[in-house]
Amino acid sequence: MEEKDMNAIENLMLSHKSVRRFTDQPVSDELLERVVRCGQHAATSEFIQAYTIIKVTDPKVKAAIYNEVTSQKPILSAPVFLVFCADVSRLLRASEMNQRKAPESYLEYTETFLMASVDTAIAAQNTVIAAESEGVGCTYIGGIRNNLPKVMELLSIPNGVYPLFGLVMGYPLENSDEAAKPRLPLDVVLKEEKYHTDGEEEQIRAYDEVIRQYYIDRTDGKRDETWSMQMADFVEKPQRPFLKEVLGKQGFLLK
Amino acid sequence: MEEKDMNAIENLMLSHKSVRRFTDQPVSDELLERVVRCGQHAATSEFIQAYTIIKVTDPKVKAAIYNEVTSQKPILSAPVFLVFCADVSRLLRASEMNQRKAPESYLEYTETFLMASVDTAIAAQNTVIAAESEGVGCTYIGGIRNNLPKVMELLSIPNGVYPLFGLVMGYPLENSDEAAKPRLPLDVVLKEEKYHTDGEEEQIRAYDEVIRQYYIDRTDGKRDETWSMQMADFVEKPQRPFLKEVLGKQGFLLK
C-alpha cells in the first residue's frame, strides 16, 4: 500500500470526532453492508463472532428509546441507528445444530460475557472506521444501557444476548475544521515494562490545562473545567447500578 | 478523501489476518507511538480514556508469561508485545488531584468494568488497524487471561486495573495471498428492527460448508470441521472459571 494511503488511515483516525448532527442524505444500504462486513473482519476470539447488529428504522421504536432509555436526539435524526448486541446465544444454537448441548455454565461465566463484549466492541470500531473512511460520521450511544429491559423488549432480545451500545451514523451536517479533542499525553497511557504512575500528576496537570482551554475556546469561556475535574465529577455518579441484575436475567455474569 | 483511499481502508480490513510469525525487522518506536496515538483517538465513554498499555520487552517477563500464562510463541518472537489493561485507577487519582474521593462503589459497578473494557478494546482495534495500514501484522492474545494474577504480578498492576489482552505486532514473515478467513453471512449478524433467527439454520449450514472447505484447503484435508462443530466443542470447555474472583480482588464486578 502506498505511504499516502497509510497516512490517510492514520490521519482519519487522529481527526476522529463523534458526529451527532446529520444532513438528510441517506446512507445507502450498500455502504452500510460494506462497513458492517468490515466490522465482521475484525479479529474474533476463538472465531465465535459473538455479536448481532440490529438496524432500527421504525420511528415508534426510536421514539420509545428516546423517551424511555436515553434522550439523545441523534437517535431520532440520524439516517442510520444500529444497536450492537453481544450475542452468545448463536453459539448455543450452533451446538444444538450438532445434536449437542452447551452446559448452562457456559453462559454464566464472566469470561463468556467479557469475550462476547470485546468481540462486539472491536467489530463496532472497525465499522466506525470504515464508515468514517466513507465520509460518514458516527457516535456511540452507551446510553442504551440506561434501560436495557426496555431496549430488549423493543428489539425482542432473547437470553444469551444483550445490547452493548447503539451507533448512529450519517453524513455530518458541518464539516468542521476544528481539531479533534485532545487525548491524554502518550506517556500517561503507554508504559514500559510495568505499570507505574511516575510523573503522571504533572502530565495530567499539563493536560488539564489543554482541556480547560479546549472547552473555553469552544464555549466562549462558559465551560471552564479540566479533565481531572470532569473525572472527579463523573466517578461520584452511580454507574447504572441495576446493570448486574439485568444482565443476570439474560443469563450473564452469574459465575 | 479520494475514493481510492477509502477503498484502501476497507480493503485493508476485509483482508485482515492475524499474524503470528514475524521477520527480524523491528517496529520503530516512532511507528509504535503513532499507532498507539491512533488508538487513543478512538471514541471513549465520558472521555474517561480508561486504559493503560504496557510495552513488554524484558525477555524474562516474556518467558514467564510464555511458561506460566499462555504458551503462544509470538509472545517470544514478535518485535512488539503490548498488554492492554482496562484502567479506572487513573480516574480515582484524578479525583484525588482535586481533593475529592471517589466512592468505593465506583470501582465495583459492573458498568464501570464494562465501560473500561470497551474503551480499551476499541482503542486496541484502532491501534491494530493503524498498524496494519503500515504493513505491521498483529494478533490479539486473549490467553493472558489464563493466569491474570501472574501477569499482574509481573507487570505491577494495581487495584482498579486489569490486563484485558495482549497484542503482538511485527512485520509478517510471509506475505500471504491467502484469503482472509470467511465470516458469517451478513444476514446472520445484521438484522432489521428486531432480533430473530429466521433462516439462520440454513445460513449457518451453508457457512459451515464454506468453513469446512477453508480448513480442508489449508490443512491438506487433515482438518475437517465446520464452524458450528467448532463452536459446539468450544462452549463445552470451562471458560476461565476463576476470572470473576480474580477481577473481584482487583475491585471489579462486586456490584
Side-chain angles (χ1 to χ4, degrees):
Chain A
M1 180 182 282
E2 289 173 16
E3 187 160 5
K4 180 166 86 80
D5 290 326
M6 296 177 201
N7 290 336
I9 293 175
E10 291 160 352
N11 285 335
L12 181 74
M13 290 183 171
L14 294 171
S15 59
H16 160 78
K17 289 191 283 295
S18 289
V19 173
R20 296 179 174 84
R21 296 174 65 192
F22 307 97
T23 70
D24 291 332
Q25 187 184 348
V27 173
S28 72
D29 288 343
E30 185 275 331
L31 193 156
L32 179 62
E33 291 176 5
R34 185 158 21 115
V35 302
V36 171
R37 280 202 174 89
C38 287
Q40 287 188 269
H41 277 270
T44 160
S45 296
E46 306 287 340
F47 205 32
I48 60 175
Q49 304 172 73
Y51 44 82
T52 295
I53 305 158
I54 303 178
K55 182 174 85 165
V56 180
T57 58
D58 183 340
K60 292 198 293 293
V61 174
K62 291 190 191 185
I65 293 176
Y66 180 85
N67 290 320
E68 301 180 61
V69 182
T70 179
S71 307
Q72 298 192 45
K73 286 198 160 58
I75 291 169
L76 302 179
S77 63
V80 174
F81 174 48
L82 305 176
V83 178
F84 277 76
C85 302
D87 184 350
V88 296
S89 74
R90 183 176 305 119
L91 309 184
L92 307 181
R93 294 191 293 278
S95 270
E96 287 166 13
M97 283 172 60
N98 289 275
Q99 286 78 52
R100 288 163 70 178
K101 189 156 172 55
E104 277 183 27
S105 52
Y106 173 71
L107 186 48
E108 299 173 350
Y109 287 119
T110 295
E111 168 69 19
T112 297
F113 172 80
L114 181 59
M115 191 183 269
S117 303
V118 168
D119 251 33
T120 305
I122 70 176
Q125 186 57 18
N126 257 26
T127 304
V128 167
I129 294 298
E132 290 178 343
S133 80
E134 296 281 2
V136 171
C138 305
T139 295
Y140 282 96
I141 307 283
I144 63 162
R145 297 196 298 273
N146 291 349
N147 188 348
L148 277 186
K150 175 51 80 173
V151 174
M152 296 191 295
E153 171 203 325
L154 289 167
L155 305 185
S156 303
I157 303 296
N159 239 43
V161 184
Y162 85 94
L164 174 51
F165 42 64
L167 188 71
V168 291
M169 299 165 67
Y171 293 93
L173 188 60
E174 299 110 0
N175 225 349
S176 175
D177 283 333
E178 217 176 79
K181 199 170 180 181
R183 296 312 200 236
L184 284 163
L186 186 70
D187 288 351
V188 172
V189 303
L190 179 61
K191 303 295 184 189
E192 307 254 343
E193 308 302 353
K194 291 191 195 304
Y195 193 98
H196 71 81
T197 59
D198 303 346
E200 180 188 80
E201 186 168 339
E202 294 76 17
Q203 289 161 340
I204 290 179
R205 296 239 181 251
Y207 177 67
D208 272 351
E209 294 312 308
V210 169
I211 291 301
R212 185 200 302 268
Q213 197 58 51
Y214 176 90
Y215 289 142
I216 283 172
D217 290 346
R218 295 179 92 240
T219 64
D220 264 337
K222 290 192 200 66
R223 183 177 183 188
D224 180 354
E225 90 177 310
T226 66
W227 180 77
S228 66
M229 286 165 63
Q230 197 180 337
M231 295 304 108
D233 285 344
F234 175 66
V235 300
E236 284 174 2
K237 296 182 185 167
Q239 303 289 326
R240 298 180 176 125
F242 42 78
L243 189 69
K244 184 170 181 169
E245 186 185 330
V246 169
L247 290 169
K249 289 193 176 139
Q250 292 302 99
F252 289 109
L253 286 174
L254 299 171
K255 279 179 145 42
Chain B
M1 182 180 285
E2 291 172 14
E3 188 161 4
K4 180 166 86 79
D5 291 327
M6 297 179 198
N7 290 337
I9 294 176
E10 291 160 353
N11 284 335
L12 182 75
M13 290 181 170
L14 293 172
S15 59
H16 160 78
K17 287 189 284 295
S18 289
V19 173
R20 295 179 174 84
R21 297 175 63 192
F22 306 97
T23 68
D24 291 333
Q25 187 184 348
V27 174
S28 72
D29 287 343
E30 186 275 332
L31 193 156
L32 179 62
E33 291 176 4
R34 183 157 24 113
V35 302
V36 172
R37 280 202 174 90
C38 287
Q40 287 188 270
H41 277 271
T44 160
S45 296
E46 306 288 343
F47 206 32
I48 61 175
Q49 305 170 72
Y51 44 82
T52 294
I53 305 157
I54 302 179
K55 183 174 86 166
V56 179
T57 59
D58 184 339
K60 291 199 293 293
V61 174
K62 291 190 192 185
I65 292 177
Y66 179 84
N67 290 322
E68 301 179 59
V69 182
T70 179
S71 306
Q72 298 193 44
K73 287 198 160 58
I75 291 169
L76 303 178
S77 62
V80 173
F81 174 48
L82 305 177
V83 178
F84 277 76
C85 302
D87 184 351
V88 296
S89 73
R90 184 176 304 117
L91 308 184
L92 305 181
R93 294 191 295 276
S95 270
E96 287 166 15
M97 283 172 59
N98 289 276
Q99 288 79 49
R100 287 161 71 179
K101 189 156 172 55
E104 278 183 27
S105 52
Y106 173 71
L107 187 49
E108 298 173 351
Y109 286 119
T110 295
E111 169 68 21
T112 297
F113 172 80
L114 182 59
M115 192 183 267
S117 303
V118 169
D119 250 34
T120 305
I122 70 177
Q125 186 56 16
N126 257 25
T127 304
V128 167
I129 293 298
E132 290 178 342
S133 79
E134 296 280 2
V136 171
C138 304
T139 295
Y140 283 97
I141 307 283
I144 63 161
R145 297 196 299 274
N146 291 349
N147 187 349
L148 276 185
K150 174 52 80 174
V151 174
M152 295 191 297
E153 171 204 325
L154 289 167
L155 305 185
S156 303
I157 302 295
N159 237 44
V161 184
Y162 86 93
L164 173 51
F165 42 62
L167 188 70
V168 291
M169 299 166 67
Y171 293 93
L173 188 60
E174 299 110 0
N175 224 347
S176 175
D177 283 334
E178 216 174 81
K181 198 169 179 183
R183 296 315 199 235
L184 284 163
L186 186 70
D187 289 349
V188 173
V189 303
L190 179 61
K191 304 295 185 188
E192 308 255 340
E193 309 300 355
K194 288 191 196 305
Y195 193 98
H196 71 80
T197 59
D198 302 348
E200 180 188 79
E201 186 167 338
E202 294 77 17
Q203 290 161 339
I204 290 180
R205 296 239 181 251
Y207 176 66
D208 272 351
E209 293 313 309
V210 168
I211 292 301
R212 187 201 299 270
Q213 196 58 50
Y214 176 88
Y215 289 143
I216 284 172
D217 290 347
R218 293 180 92 237
T219 64
D220 266 337
K222 290 192 201 67
R223 183 177 184 188
D224 180 353
E225 93 178 306
T226 67
W227 179 78
S228 65
M229 286 165 63
Q230 195 180 336
M231 294 305 108
D233 285 346
F234 175 66
V235 300
E236 284 174 4
K237 297 180 184 165
Q239 302 290 324
R240 297 179 177 124
F242 41 78
L243 188 69
K244 184 171 181 168
E245 186 185 328
V246 169
L247 291 169
K249 290 193 177 135
Q250 293 303 99
F252 290 110
L253 287 176
L254 298 172
K255 280 179 144 45

